[in-house]
């Protein structure tokens, strides 16, 4: 009797220890810090219906597409892209884990203005940062190193560029791995990559910019099936959305992507979050027919401040 009481006590104590450790070791998570295309929302020069109602109310403004990994255990965080909204986004990120996680590194996708120009905030004029790790592909690295004002960030060691290779994994710590992979896009100044973020046994795909799914070597349906979350190019809803020829700025329309994935079961569709919305994209407006359509068909629309738990 005494023996069994003692072992019951022991069992109870180890159970409590297990509960306590589960409560205190929080897994890394993803935060969405912006969902708009490079120009933000509303967009410079736009007085049309898409932006007119949004200009007067700052609460309706949307930041440029950006996500981050936050690791509460190591108190580190990593940004994916340095956008023109860098100040507000890093401020929000700093508060994500009760102000404990600091910015460890920045992964860049490509040299279009919405994706790297936020780096300027790290320089002498503003933060005067010290050796922030900036992960970039080889052409992107050369572009930063050989052109002002970015070259000054390198020479003053505000940033330390770490060169990435296509499909080569990087281990950030024992819980988190990141793999860049090239995607077809308008590569005037740099390559363009998407990222696979692996946390524990789960993975997330981030592709804010790609020309068309058909031009990519991978099959999107298989990519959805092989991963747990996807944040992918939703720049335009459909053809004819902007006055310029849309072939000059190719992107997969949301309508095309939904069609391409239409045969997948609901559980697969739910993994897909659209992001990187042009100011003309009606999904930016809650309650629009297109916003409802996306969700009724089982897909998701990424939201600023959204947290994705692994
Ligand atoms: Zn972009
Ligand atoms: Zn507009
Ligand atoms: Zn781009």
């Amino acid at each position: 009797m005494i023996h069994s009481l003692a072992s019951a006590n022991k069992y109870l104590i180890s159970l409590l220890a297990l509960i306590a450790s589960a409560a205190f070791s929080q897994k890394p998570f993803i935060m969405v810090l912006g969902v708009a295309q490079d120009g933000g929302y509303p967009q410079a020069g736009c007085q049309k219906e898409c932006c007119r109602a949004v200009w007067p109310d700052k609460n309706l403004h949307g930041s440029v597409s950006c996500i981050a990994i936050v690791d509460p255990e190591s108190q580190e965080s990593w940004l994916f892209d340095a956008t023109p909204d860098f100040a507000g986004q890093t401020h929000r990120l700093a508060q994500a884990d009760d102000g404990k996680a600091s910015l460890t590194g920045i992964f860049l996708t490509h040299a279009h203005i919405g994706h790297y120009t936020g780096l300027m905030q790290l320089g002498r004029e503003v933060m005067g940062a010290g050796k922030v790790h900036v992960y970039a592909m080889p052409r992107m690295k050369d572009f930063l190193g050989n052109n002002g004002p970015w070259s000054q960030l390198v020479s003053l060691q505000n940033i330390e560029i770490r060169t990435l290779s296509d499909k080569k994994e990087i281990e950030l710590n024992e819980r988190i791995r990141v793999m860049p992979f090239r995607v077809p896009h308008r590569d005037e100044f740099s390559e363009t990559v998407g990222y696979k973020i692996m946390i524990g046994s789960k993975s997330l795909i981030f592709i804010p910019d790609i020309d068309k799914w058909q031009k990519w070597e991978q099959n999107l349906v298989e990519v959805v099936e092989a991963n747990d979350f996807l944040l992918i190019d939703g720049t335009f809803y459909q053809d004819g959305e902007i006055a310029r020829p849309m072939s000059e700025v190719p992107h997969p329309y949301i309508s095309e992507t939904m069609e391409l994935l239409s045969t997948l079961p609901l559980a697969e569709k739910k993994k897909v979050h659209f992001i990187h919305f042009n100011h003309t994209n009606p999904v930016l407006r809650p309650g629009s027919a297109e916003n409802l359509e996306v969700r009724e068909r089982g897909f998701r629309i990424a939201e600023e401040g959204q947290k994705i738990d692994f």
Side-chain angles (χ1 to χ4, degrees):
M1 186 65 191
I2 288 167
H3 175 76
S4 71
L5 248 180
S7 69
N9 258 340
K10 232 167 145 183
Y11 172 76
L12 200 67
I13 287 163
S14 59
L15 191 70
L16 284 172
L18 199 72
I19 291 166
S21 75
F24 290 112
S25 73
Q26 203 195 337
K27 270 191 187 168
F29 61 89
I30 298 286
M31 241 193 119
V32 178
L33 297 167
V35 301
Q37 178 266 6
D38 301 42
Y41 180 60
Q43 189 160 115
C46 187
Q47 298 298 337
K48 286 186 286 198
E49 202 194 330
C50 48
C51 295
R52 202 186 301 136
V54 176
W55 281 116
D57 188 351
K58 284 252 190 226
N59 292 321
L60 299 175
H61 290 203
S63 302
V64 176
S65 159
C66 179
I67 65 169
I69 306 174
V70 180
D71 185 356
E73 198 171 326
S74 67
Q75 302 187 345
E76 294 173 293
S77 65
W78 294 266
L79 273 181
F80 286 76
D81 281 338
T83 86
D85 295 313
F86 187 89
Q89 289 174 328
T90 47
H91 179 69
R92 184 168 208 161
L93 180 59
Q95 294 173 322
D97 181 36
D98 299 329
K100 280 183 250 150
S102 59
L103 182 62
T104 308
I106 302 170
F107 286 84
L108 300 177
T109 58
H110 65 304
H112 282 161
I113 63 135
H115 302 267
Y116 77 99
T117 54
L119 291 177
M120 64 188 178
Q121 306 288 350
L122 297 166
R124 189 168 262 174
E125 302 92 325
V126 190
M127 293 168 73
K131 293 188 179 179
V132 173
H133 300 163
V134 171
Y135 296 85
M137 291 291 284
R139 264 186 81 203
M140 182 83 219
K141 181 190 176 182
D142 287 348
F143 173 79
L144 295 173
N146 296 326
N147 294 283
W150 324 110
S151 52
Q152 186 173 287
L153 300 173
V154 178
S155 61
L156 294 181
Q157 299 190 333
N158 301 122
I159 64 174
E160 184 181 288
I161 303 182
R162 306 201 158 187
T163 314
L164 298 169
S165 303
D166 188 25
K167 297 191 187 116
K168 195 165 166 236
E169 264 180 46
I170 301 221
E171 193 178 288
L172 297 181
N173 61 35
E174 60 274 25
R175 294 171 294 284
I176 310 167
R177 286 170 298 141
V178 173
M179 187 188 78
F181 53 86
R182 290 195 63 175
V183 296
H185 191 44
R186 296 170 282 113
D187 290 347
E188 299 93 338
F189 301 114
S190 74
E191 315 83 343
T192 302
V193 292
Y195 285 101
K196 179 173 182 173
I197 299 169
M198 293 155 276
I199 299 176
S201 60
K202 291 192 174 177
S203 60
L204 178 146
I205 297 290
F206 180 51
I207 307 177
D209 267 292
I210 188 168
D211 282 2
K212 289 281 179 193
W213 297 120
Q214 292 76 7
K215 284 205 224 165
W216 191 25
E217 60 183 29
Q218 297 202 56
N219 177 327
L220 183 64
V221 172
E222 290 169 11
V223 175
V224 172
E225 287 169 337
N227 293 281
D228 301 281
F229 311 96
L230 295 94
L231 288 155
I232 57 172
D233 188 337
T235 309
F236 300 117
Y237 190 77
Q238 61 195 356
D239 199 8
E241 197 173 303
I242 56 170
R244 284 187 275 155
M246 291 185 73
S247 56
E248 285 176 6
V249 282
H251 288 277
Y253 306 131
I254 289 181
S255 58
E256 289 176 333
T257 305
M258 290 197 296
E259 207 45 51
L260 189 64
L261 303 177
S262 61
T263 55
L264 283 172
L266 185 62
E268 297 292 322
K269 288 177 181 165
K270 277 166 71 178
K271 298 174 177 176
V272 178
H273 299 65
F274 292 104
I275 194 166
H276 192 273
F277 307 119
N278 198 52
H279 63 121
T280 53
N281 193 327
V283 304
L284 273 170
R285 289 180 287 287
S288 71
E290 292 83 355
N291 183 299
L292 290 175
E293 166 95 13
V294 170
R295 290 183 287 128
E296 267 164 21
R297 290 180 72 167
F299 301 97
R300 296 182 178 193
I301 295 164
E303 284 174 35
E304 209 168 310
Q306 184 183 351
K307 197 177 152 198
I308 299 175
D309 287 310
F310 274 65

